[in-house]
Coordinates of all heavy atoms in Angstrom, one line a residue:
M1 N -9.6 12.7 6.6 CA -9.5 12.1 8.0 C -8.0 11.9 8.3 O -7.5 10.8 8.0 CB -10.3 10.9 8.1 CG -10.6 10.4 9.5 SD -11.5 8.9 9.6 CE -10.3 7.7 9.1
K2 N -7.3 12.9 8.8 CA -5.9 12.8 9.1 C -5.7 12.7 10.6 O -6.0 13.6 11.3 CB -5.2 14.0 8.5 CG -3.7 13.7 8.1 CD -3.6 13.1 6.7 CE -2.2 12.7 6.4 NZ -2.1 11.3 6.0
T3 N -5.3 11.6 11.0 CA -5.1 11.4 12.5 C -3.5 11.4 12.7 O -2.8 11.5 11.8 CB -5.7 10.1 13.0 OG1 -5.4 9.0 12.0 CG2 -7.2 10.2 13.2
E4 N -3.2 11.2 14.0 CA -1.8 11.1 14.3 C -1.1 9.9 13.6 O -1.8 8.9 13.4 CB -1.7 10.9 15.9 CG -0.3 11.3 16.4 CD -0.2 10.8 17.9 OE1 -1.1 10.9 18.6 OE2 0.9 10.4 18.2
R5 N 0.1 10.1 13.3 CA 0.8 9.0 12.5 C 0.8 7.7 13.3 O 1.2 7.7 14.4 CB 2.2 9.5 12.2 CG 2.7 8.8 10.9 CD 4.1 9.2 10.7 NE 4.3 10.6 10.7 CZ 3.9 11.5 9.7 NH1 3.3 11.0 8.7 NH2 4.2 12.7 9.8
Q6 N 0.2 6.7 12.7 CA 0.1 5.4 13.3 C 1.3 4.6 12.8 O 1.9 4.8 11.8 CB -1.2 4.8 13.0 CG -2.4 5.4 13.6 CD -2.4 5.4 15.1 OE1 -2.3 4.4 15.7 NE2 -2.6 6.6 15.7
E7 N 1.5 3.5 13.6 CA 2.5 2.5 13.2 C 2.0 1.8 12.0 O 0.8 1.4 12.0 CB 2.7 1.5 14.4 CG 3.9 0.6 14.2 CD 4.1 -0.3 15.4 OE1 3.3 -1.1 15.6 OE2 5.1 0.0 16.1
I8 N 2.8 1.7 11.0 CA 2.3 1.0 9.8 C 3.1 -0.4 9.7 O 4.3 -0.4 9.7 CB 2.6 1.9 8.5 CG1 1.8 3.2 8.7 CG2 2.2 1.1 7.3 CD1 2.3 4.3 7.8
I9 N 2.3 -1.4 9.6 CA 2.8 -2.7 9.5 C 2.5 -3.3 8.2 O 1.3 -3.2 7.7 CB 2.3 -3.6 10.7 CG1 2.8 -3.0 12.0 CG2 2.8 -5.1 10.6 CD1 2.1 -3.5 13.2
C10 N 3.4 -4.0 7.6 CA 3.1 -4.7 6.3 C 2.1 -5.8 6.5 O 2.4 -6.7 7.4 CB 4.4 -5.2 5.7 SG 4.2 -6.2 4.2
N11 N 1.0 -5.8 5.8 CA 0.0 -6.8 6.0 C 0.5 -8.2 5.5 O 0.0 -9.2 5.9 CB -1.2 -6.5 5.2 CG -2.1 -5.5 5.9 OD1 -1.7 -4.3 6.1 ND2 -3.3 -5.9 6.2
C12 N 1.5 -8.1 4.6 CA 2.0 -9.3 4.0 C 3.0 -10.1 4.9 O 2.9 -11.3 5.1 CB 2.6 -9.0 2.7 SG 2.7 -10.3 1.5
C13 N 4.0 -9.4 5.5 CA 5.0 -10.0 6.2 C 5.1 -9.6 7.7 O 6.0 -10.0 8.4 CB 6.4 -9.8 5.5 SG 7.0 -8.1 5.6
K14 N 4.3 -8.7 8.1 CA 4.2 -8.2 9.5 C 5.4 -7.3 9.9 O 5.6 -7.0 11.1 CB 4.0 -9.3 10.5 CG 2.5 -9.8 10.5 CD 2.4 -11.0 11.4 CE 2.1 -10.6 12.9 NZ 1.9 -11.8 13.7
K15 N 6.2 -6.9 8.9 CA 7.3 -6.1 9.2 C 6.8 -4.7 9.5 O 5.9 -4.2 8.9 CB 8.3 -6.1 8.0 CG 9.6 -5.3 8.3 CD 10.5 -5.4 7.0 CE 10.1 -4.3 6.1 NZ 11.0 -4.3 4.9
I16 N 7.4 -4.0 10.5 CA 7.0 -2.6 10.8 C 7.7 -1.8 9.7 O 8.9 -1.7 9.5 CB 7.5 -2.2 12.2 CG1 6.8 -3.0 13.3 CG2 7.2 -0.7 12.4 CD1 7.4 -2.9 14.7
I17 N 6.8 -1.2 8.9 CA 7.2 -0.3 7.8 C 7.6 1.1 8.4 O 8.6 1.6 8.1 CB 6.1 -0.2 6.8 CG1 5.7 -1.5 6.2 CG2 6.6 0.8 5.6 CD1 4.5 -1.5 5.3
Q18 N 6.7 1.6 9.3 CA 6.9 2.9 9.8 C 6.6 2.9 11.2 O 5.5 2.6 11.7 CB 5.9 3.8 9.0 CG 6.2 5.3 9.2 CD 7.5 5.8 8.5 OE1 7.5 5.8 7.3 NE2 8.5 6.1 9.3
K19 N 7.5 3.4 12.0 CA 7.3 3.5 13.5 C 6.4 4.7 13.8 O 6.4 5.6 13.0 CB 8.6 3.6 14.2 CG 9.4 2.3 14.2 CD 10.2 2.1 15.5 CE 10.9 0.7 15.5 NZ 12.0 0.6 14.5
K20 N 5.7 4.6 14.9 CA 4.8 5.6 15.3 C 5.5 7.0 15.4 O 6.6 7.0 15.9 CB 4.1 5.2 16.6 CG 2.7 5.7 16.8 CD 2.1 5.0 18.0 CE 0.7 5.5 18.2 NZ 0.1 4.8 19.3
S21 N 4.8 8.0 15.0 CA 5.3 9.4 15.1 C 6.7 9.6 14.7 O 7.5 10.1 15.4 CB 5.0 10.0 16.5 OG 5.6 9.3 17.5
R22 N 7.1 9.0 13.6 CA 8.4 9.3 13.0 C 8.2 9.9 11.7 O 7.2 9.7 11.0 CB 9.2 7.9 12.9 CG 10.4 7.8 13.7 CD 11.1 6.5 13.4 NE 12.1 6.7 12.2 CZ 12.4 5.7 11.4 NH1 11.9 4.5 11.6 NH2 13.3 5.9 10.5
I23 N 9.2 10.7 11.3 CA 9.1 11.3 10.0 C 9.1 10.2 8.9 O 10.0 9.3 9.0 CB 10.2 12.3 9.8 CG1 10.1 13.4 10.8 CG2 10.2 12.9 8.4 CD1 11.4 13.9 11.4
P24 N 8.2 10.1 8.0 CA 8.2 9.0 7.1 C 9.4 9.0 6.2 O 9.8 10.1 5.6 CB 6.9 9.3 6.2 CG 6.4 10.6 6.6 CD 7.1 11.1 7.8
D25 N 10.1 7.9 6.2 CA 11.3 7.8 5.4 C 11.3 6.5 4.6 O 12.3 6.1 4.0 CB 12.6 7.9 6.2 CG 12.7 6.9 7.3 OD1 11.8 6.0 7.4 OD2 13.7 6.9 8.1
T26 N 10.2 5.8 4.6 CA 10.1 4.5 4.0 C 9.0 4.6 3.0 O 7.9 5.1 3.3 CB 9.9 3.4 5.0 OG1 10.7 3.6 6.1 CG2 10.2 2.0 4.4
E27 N 9.2 4.0 1.8 CA 8.2 3.9 0.8 C 7.4 2.6 1.0 O 8.0 1.6 1.3 CB 8.8 4.0 -0.6 CG 9.4 5.3 -0.9 CD 8.4 6.3 -1.4 OE1 7.5 6.0 -2.1 OE2 8.6 7.5 -1.1
F28 N 6.2 2.7 0.8 CA 5.4 1.5 0.9 C 4.1 1.7 0.1 O 3.8 2.8 -0.3 CB 5.0 1.1 2.3 CG 4.2 2.2 3.1 CD1 2.8 2.1 3.1 CD2 4.8 3.2 3.6 CE1 2.1 3.0 3.8 CE2 4.1 4.2 4.3 CZ 2.7 4.1 4.4
L29 N 3.4 0.6 -0.1 CA 2.1 0.7 -0.9 C 1.0 0.7 0.0 O 0.8 -0.2 0.9 CB 2.0 -0.5 -1.9 CG 0.7 -0.6 -2.6 CD1 0.7 0.4 -3.8 CD2 0.6 -2.0 -3.2
H30 N 0.1 1.7 -0.1 CA -1.1 1.8 0.7 C -2.3 1.6 -0.2 O -2.4 2.4 -1.2 CB -1.2 3.1 1.5 CG -2.5 3.2 2.2 ND1 -2.7 2.5 3.4 CD2 -3.6 3.9 2.0 CE1 -3.9 2.8 3.8 NE2 -4.5 3.6 3.0
V31 N -3.1 0.7 0.0 CA -4.3 0.4 -0.8 C -5.5 0.6 0.0 O -5.6 0.1 1.2 CB -4.3 -1.0 -1.4 CG1 -5.5 -1.2 -2.2 CG2 -3.1 -1.2 -2.3
E32 N -6.4 1.5 -0.5 CA -7.7 1.6 0.2 C -8.7 1.5 -0.9 O -8.7 2.2 -1.9 CB -7.8 3.0 0.8 CG -9.0 3.2 1.8 CD -9.0 4.5 2.4 OE1 -8.0 5.0 2.9 OE2 -10.1 5.1 2.4
K33 N -9.6 0.6 -0.7 CA -10.6 0.3 -1.7 C -12.0 0.3 -1.1 O -12.3 -0.5 -0.2 CB -10.3 -1.0 -2.4 CG -11.4 -1.5 -3.4 CD -11.6 -0.6 -4.6 CE -12.7 -1.2 -5.5 NZ -13.2 -0.2 -6.4
E34 N -12.9 1.1 -1.6 CA -14.3 1.1 -1.2 C -15.0 0.3 -2.3 O -15.1 0.7 -3.4 CB -14.9 2.5 -1.1 CG -16.3 2.5 -0.6 CD -16.8 4.0 -0.4 OE1 -16.0 4.9 -0.4 OE2 -18.1 4.1 -0.3
W35 N -15.5 -0.8 -1.9 CA -16.2 -1.7 -2.8 C -17.6 -1.3 -3.0 O -18.3 -0.9 -2.0 CB -16.1 -3.2 -2.3 CG -14.7 -3.7 -2.3 CD1 -13.9 -3.8 -1.2 CD2 -14.0 -4.3 -3.4 NE1 -12.7 -4.3 -1.6 CE2 -12.8 -4.7 -2.9 CE3 -14.4 -4.6 -4.7 CZ2 -11.8 -5.3 -3.7 CZ3 -13.4 -5.2 -5.5 CH2 -12.2 -5.6 -5.0
G36 N -18.0 -1.3 -4.2 CA -19.4 -0.8 -4.5 C -20.3 -1.9 -4.9 O -20.1 -3.1 -4.7
Y37 N -21.4 -1.5 -5.4 CA -22.6 -2.3 -5.7 C -22.3 -3.5 -6.5 O -22.8 -4.6 -6.3 CB -23.6 -1.4 -6.5 CG -24.9 -2.1 -6.8 CD1 -25.8 -2.4 -5.7 CD2 -25.2 -2.6 -8.0 CE1 -27.0 -3.1 -6.0 CE2 -26.4 -3.3 -8.3 CZ -27.3 -3.5 -7.3 OH -28.4 -4.2 -7.6
F38 N -21.4 -3.4 -7.5 CA -21.1 -4.6 -8.4 C -20.2 -5.6 -7.8 O -19.9 -6.6 -8.5 CB -20.6 -4.1 -9.7 CG -21.7 -3.2 -10.4 CD1 -21.5 -1.8 -10.5 CD2 -22.8 -3.8 -11.0 CE1 -22.5 -1.1 -11.1 CE2 -23.8 -3.0 -11.6 CZ -23.6 -1.6 -11.7
S39 N -19.7 -5.4 -6.6 CA -18.9 -6.4 -6.0 C -19.7 -7.1 -5.0 O -20.8 -6.8 -4.6 CB -17.7 -5.6 -5.3 OG -18.1 -5.1 -4.1
E40 N -19.0 -8.2 -4.4 CA -19.6 -8.9 -3.4 C -19.3 -8.4 -2.0 O -19.7 -8.9 -1.0 CB -19.2 -10.4 -3.4 CG -19.8 -11.1 -4.6 CD -19.3 -12.5 -4.8 OE1 -18.5 -13.0 -4.0 OE2 -19.6 -13.1 -5.9
K41 N -18.6 -7.2 -2.0 CA -18.3 -6.6 -0.8 C -18.9 -5.2 -0.7 O -18.3 -4.3 -0.2 CB -16.7 -6.5 -0.7 CG -16.1 -7.8 -0.5 CD -14.5 -7.7 -0.5 CE -14.0 -7.7 -1.9 NZ -14.2 -8.9 -2.7
D42 N -20.0 -5.1 -1.3 CA -20.7 -3.8 -1.4 C -20.8 -3.1 0.0 O -21.2 -3.7 1.0 CB -22.2 -4.0 -1.9 CG -22.9 -2.7 -2.2 OD1 -22.2 -1.7 -2.3 OD2 -24.1 -2.8 -2.3
G43 N -20.3 -1.8 0.0 CA -20.4 -1.0 1.2 C -19.2 -1.3 2.1 O -19.2 -0.7 3.2
E44 N -18.2 -2.0 1.7 CA -17.1 -2.3 2.6 C -15.9 -1.5 2.1 O -15.7 -1.4 0.9 CB -16.7 -3.8 2.6 CG -17.7 -4.6 3.4 CD -17.3 -6.1 3.4 OE1 -16.1 -6.4 3.2 OE2 -18.1 -6.9 3.5
I45 N -15.1 -1.0 3.0 CA -13.9 -0.4 2.7 C -12.8 -1.3 3.2 O -12.8 -1.7 4.4 CB -13.7 1.1 3.3 CG1 -14.8 2.0 2.7 CG2 -12.3 1.6 3.1 CD1 -14.9 3.4 3.3
Q46 N -11.9 -1.6 2.3 CA -10.8 -2.5 2.8 C -9.5 -1.7 2.5 O -9.3 -1.0 1.5 CB -10.8 -3.8 2.0 CG -12.0 -4.7 2.3 CD -11.9 -6.0 1.7 OE1 -11.4 -6.2 0.6 NE2 -12.4 -7.0 2.3
E47 N -8.6 -1.9 3.4 CA -7.3 -1.2 3.2 C -6.1 -2.1 3.8 O -6.3 -2.9 4.7 CB -7.2 0.2 3.8 CG -7.5 0.3 5.3 CD -7.4 1.7 5.8 OE1 -6.6 2.5 5.2 OE2 -8.0 2.1 6.8
F48 N -5.0 -1.9 3.2 CA -3.8 -2.6 3.6 C -2.6 -1.9 3.2 O -2.6 -1.1 2.3 CB -3.8 -4.1 3.1 CG -3.8 -4.3 1.6 CD1 -2.7 -4.3 0.9 CD2 -5.0 -4.4 1.0 CE1 -2.7 -4.5 -0.5 CE2 -5.1 -4.6 -0.4 CZ -3.9 -4.6 -1.1
D49 N -1.5 -2.3 3.8 CA -0.2 -1.7 3.5 C 0.8 -2.8 3.2 O 0.7 -3.9 3.8 CB 0.4 -0.9 4.7 CG -0.6 0.3 5.0 OD1 -0.8 1.1 4.2 OD2 -1.1 0.3 6.1
V50 N 1.6 -2.6 2.2 CA 2.5 -3.6 1.8 C 3.9 -3.0 1.7 O 4.0 -1.9 1.1 CB 2.1 -4.2 0.4 CG1 3.1 -5.2 -0.1 CG2 0.8 -4.9 0.5
C51 N 4.9 -3.6 2.3 CA 6.3 -3.0 2.2 C 6.8 -3.2 0.8 O 6.3 -4.0 0.0 CB 7.2 -3.6 3.3 SG 7.7 -5.4 3.0
E52 N 7.9 -2.6 0.5 CA 8.5 -2.6 -0.8 C 8.9 -4.0 -1.2 O 8.7 -4.4 -2.3 CB 9.6 -1.6 -0.9 CG 10.0 -1.4 -2.4 CD 11.1 -0.4 -2.6 OE1 11.7 0.1 -1.6 OE2 11.5 -0.1 -3.7
T53 N 9.5 -4.7 -0.2 CA 10.0 -6.1 -0.5 C 8.8 -7.0 -1.0 O 8.9 -7.7 -1.9 CB 10.6 -6.7 0.7 OG1 11.5 -5.7 1.3 CG2 11.4 -8.0 0.4
C54 N 7.7 -6.9 -0.2 CA 6.5 -7.7 -0.5 C 5.9 -7.2 -1.8 O 5.4 -8.0 -2.6 CB 5.5 -7.7 0.6 SG 6.1 -8.5 2.1
Y55 N 5.9 -6.0 -2.0 CA 5.4 -5.4 -3.2 C 6.1 -6.0 -4.4 O 5.5 -6.5 -5.4 CB 5.5 -3.9 -3.2 CG 5.1 -3.2 -4.5 CD1 3.8 -2.9 -4.8 CD2 6.1 -2.9 -5.5 CE1 3.5 -2.3 -6.0 CE2 5.8 -2.4 -6.7 CZ 4.5 -2.0 -7.0 OH 4.2 -1.5 -8.2
D56 N 7.4 -6.0 -4.4 CA 8.2 -6.5 -5.5 C 7.9 -8.0 -5.7 O 7.7 -8.4 -6.9 CB 9.7 -6.4 -5.2 CG 10.2 -4.9 -5.3 OD1 9.5 -4.1 -5.9 OD2 11.2 -4.6 -4.7
E57 N 7.7 -8.8 -4.7 CA 7.4 -10.2 -4.8 C 6.0 -10.4 -5.4 O 5.8 -11.2 -6.2 CB 7.5 -10.9 -3.4 CG 8.9 -11.1 -2.9 CD 9.7 -12.0 -3.9 OE1 9.2 -13.0 -4.3 OE2 10.8 -11.5 -4.2
W58 N 5.1 -9.5 -4.9 CA 3.7 -9.6 -5.4 C 3.6 -9.3 -6.9 O 3.0 -10.0 -7.7 CB 2.8 -8.6 -4.6 CG 1.4 -8.6 -4.8 CD1 0.6 -9.6 -5.3 CD2 0.5 -7.4 -4.7 NE1 -0.7 -9.2 -5.4 CE2 -0.8 -7.9 -5.1 CE3 0.7 -6.1 -4.3 CZ2 -1.9 -7.0 -5.1 CZ3 -0.4 -5.3 -4.3 CH2 -1.7 -5.7 -4.7
V59 N 4.3 -8.2 -7.2 CA 4.2 -7.7 -8.6 C 4.9 -8.8 -9.6 O 4.4 -8.9 -10.7 CB 4.9 -6.4 -8.6 CG1 5.5 -6.0 -10.0 CG2 4.0 -5.3 -8.2
K60 N 5.9 -9.5 -9.1 CA 6.5 -10.5 -9.9 C 5.6 -11.6 -10.3 O 5.8 -12.3 -11.2 CB 7.7 -11.1 -9.1 CG 9.0 -10.5 -9.5 CD 10.2 -11.3 -8.9 CE 10.9 -10.6 -7.7 NZ 11.8 -11.5 -7.0
S61 N 4.5 -11.8 -9.5 CA 3.5 -12.9 -9.7 C 2.5 -12.5 -10.7 O 1.6 -13.3 -11.1 CB 2.9 -13.3 -8.4 OG 1.9 -12.3 -8.0
F62 N 2.5 -11.2 -11.2 CA 1.5 -10.7 -12.1 C 1.8 -11.4 -13.5 O 2.9 -11.6 -13.9 CB 1.6 -9.2 -12.3 CG 1.1 -8.4 -11.1 CD1 0.7 -9.0 -10.0 CD2 1.0 -7.0 -11.2 CE1 0.2 -8.3 -8.9 CE2 0.5 -6.3 -10.2 CZ 0.1 -6.9 -9.0
Q63 N 0.7 -11.6 -14.2 CA 0.8 -12.2 -15.6 C 1.3 -11.1 -16.5 O 2.1 -11.3 -17.5 CB -0.5 -12.7 -16.1 CG -1.1 -13.8 -15.3 CD -0.2 -15.1 -15.5 OE1 0.1 -15.4 -16.6 NE2 0.1 -15.8 -14.4
I64 N 0.9 -9.9 -16.3 CA 1.3 -8.7 -17.1 C 2.2 -7.8 -16.2 O 1.7 -7.4 -15.1 CB 0.1 -7.9 -17.6 CG1 -0.7 -8.8 -18.6 CG2 0.6 -6.7 -18.4 CD1 -2.1 -8.2 -18.9
P65 N 3.4 -7.6 -16.5 CA 4.2 -6.8 -15.6 C 3.7 -5.3 -15.4 O 3.0 -4.8 -16.3 CB 5.6 -6.7 -16.3 CG 5.5 -7.5 -17.6 CD 4.1 -7.9 -17.8
V66 N 4.0 -4.8 -14.3 CA 3.5 -3.4 -14.0 C 4.2 -2.4 -15.0 O 5.3 -2.6 -15.4 CB 3.8 -2.9 -12.6 CG1 2.9 -3.8 -11.6 CG2 5.2 -3.0 -12.2
K67 N 3.4 -1.4 -15.3 CA 3.9 -0.4 -16.2 C 4.9 0.6 -15.4 O 4.5 1.0 -14.3 CB 2.7 0.4 -16.7 CG 3.0 1.4 -17.8 CD 1.7 2.0 -18.3 CE 1.9 3.1 -19.3 NZ 0.6 3.7 -19.7
T68 N 6.0 0.8 -15.9 CA 7.0 1.6 -15.2 C 7.2 2.9 -16.0 O 7.5 2.8 -17.2 CB 8.3 0.9 -15.0 OG1 8.0 -0.3 -14.3 CG2 9.3 1.7 -14.2
I69 N 7.1 4.0 -15.4 CA 7.3 5.3 -16.1 C 8.5 6.0 -15.3 O 8.4 6.1 -14.1 CB 6.0 6.2 -16.1 CG1 4.9 5.5 -16.9 CG2 6.4 7.5 -16.7 CD1 3.5 6.0 -16.5
E70 N 9.5 6.3 -16.0 CA 10.6 7.0 -15.4 C 10.2 8.4 -15.1 O 9.8 9.1 -16.0 CB 11.8 7.0 -16.3 CG 12.4 5.6 -16.5 CD 13.2 5.0 -15.3 OE1 13.6 5.8 -14.5 OE2 13.4 3.8 -15.3
V71 N 10.4 8.8 -13.9 CA 10.0 10.2 -13.5 C 11.3 11.0 -13.4 O 12.2 10.7 -12.7 CB 9.2 10.3 -12.2 CG1 8.9 11.7 -11.8 CG2 8.0 9.4 -12.2
T72 N 11.3 12.0 -14.2 CA 12.5 12.9 -14.2 C 12.2 14.0 -13.1 O 11.3 14.8 -13.3 CB 12.7 13.6 -15.6 OG1 12.4 12.6 -16.6 CG2 14.1 14.0 -15.7
E73 N 13.0 13.9 -12.1 CA 12.7 14.9 -11.0 C 13.3 16.2 -11.3 O 14.5 16.3 -11.6 CB 13.2 14.3 -9.7 CG 12.2 13.4 -9.0 CD 12.7 13.0 -7.6 OE1 12.9 13.8 -6.8 OE2 12.8 11.8 -7.4
L74 N 12.6 17.2 -11.1 CA 13.0 18.6 -11.3 C 13.4 19.2 -9.9 O 12.5 19.6 -9.1 CB 12.0 19.4 -12.0 CG 11.5 18.9 -13.4 CD1 10.2 19.6 -13.7 CD2 12.5 19.3 -14.4
V75 N 14.6 19.2 -9.6 CA 15.0 19.7 -8.3 C 15.6 21.1 -8.4 O 16.4 21.3 -9.3 CB 16.1 18.7 -7.6 CG1 16.4 19.2 -6.2 CG2 15.5 17.3 -7.5
Ligands
ZN101 ZN1 6.2 -7.0 3.7

């Protein structure tokens, strides 16, 4: 389901991550989760976008730090 590029706003801080119909040049976290039978949100799809600043703050609150893998880019 690919529609026209929509404006992307950070759910956390309301900052505009990506302006409408612009070439994407900003990295952000997009989460889409379809909750299933074993959850209390059975049959619901939830999605949100988080800008990099909020992502960093969020991740800092984790008890276990995120796993970081260095990607060697082959250009
Ligand atoms: Zn944000």
Side-chain angles (χ1 to χ4, degrees):
M1 196 179 75
K2 210 83 186 128
T3 44
E4 199 191 322
R5 208 181 309 285
Q6 292 296 306
E7 191 176 70
I8 299 159
I9 298 164
C10 173
N11 280 64
C12 201
C13 70
K14 284 175 87 176
K15 187 178 85 179
I16 297 167
I17 301 170
Q18 193 71 70
K19 290 214 173 69
K20 213 170 178 174
S21 59
R22 243 186 88 207
I23 300 141
D25 59 359
T26 319
E27 292 280 323
F28 60 97
L29 174 75
H30 176 75
V31 177
E32 191 180 314
K33 169 65 180 166
E34 187 177 341
W35 293 95
Y37 182 75
F38 297 105
S39 78
E40 286 174 10
K41 293 176 275 296
D42 186 18
E44 285 181 25
I45 295 172
Q46 295 188 324
E47 59 177 331
F48 60 89
D49 299 297
V50 176
C51 73
E52 194 179 1
T53 313
C54 293
Y55 172 84
D56 287 341
E57 286 303 311
W58 183 31
V59 154
K60 263 192 254 170
S61 74
F62 287 6
Q63 296 293 314
I64 299 166
V66 294
K67 191 174 168 183
T68 305
I69 298 158
E70 296 285 343
V71 180
T72 325
E73 274 186 62
L74 301 161
V75 185

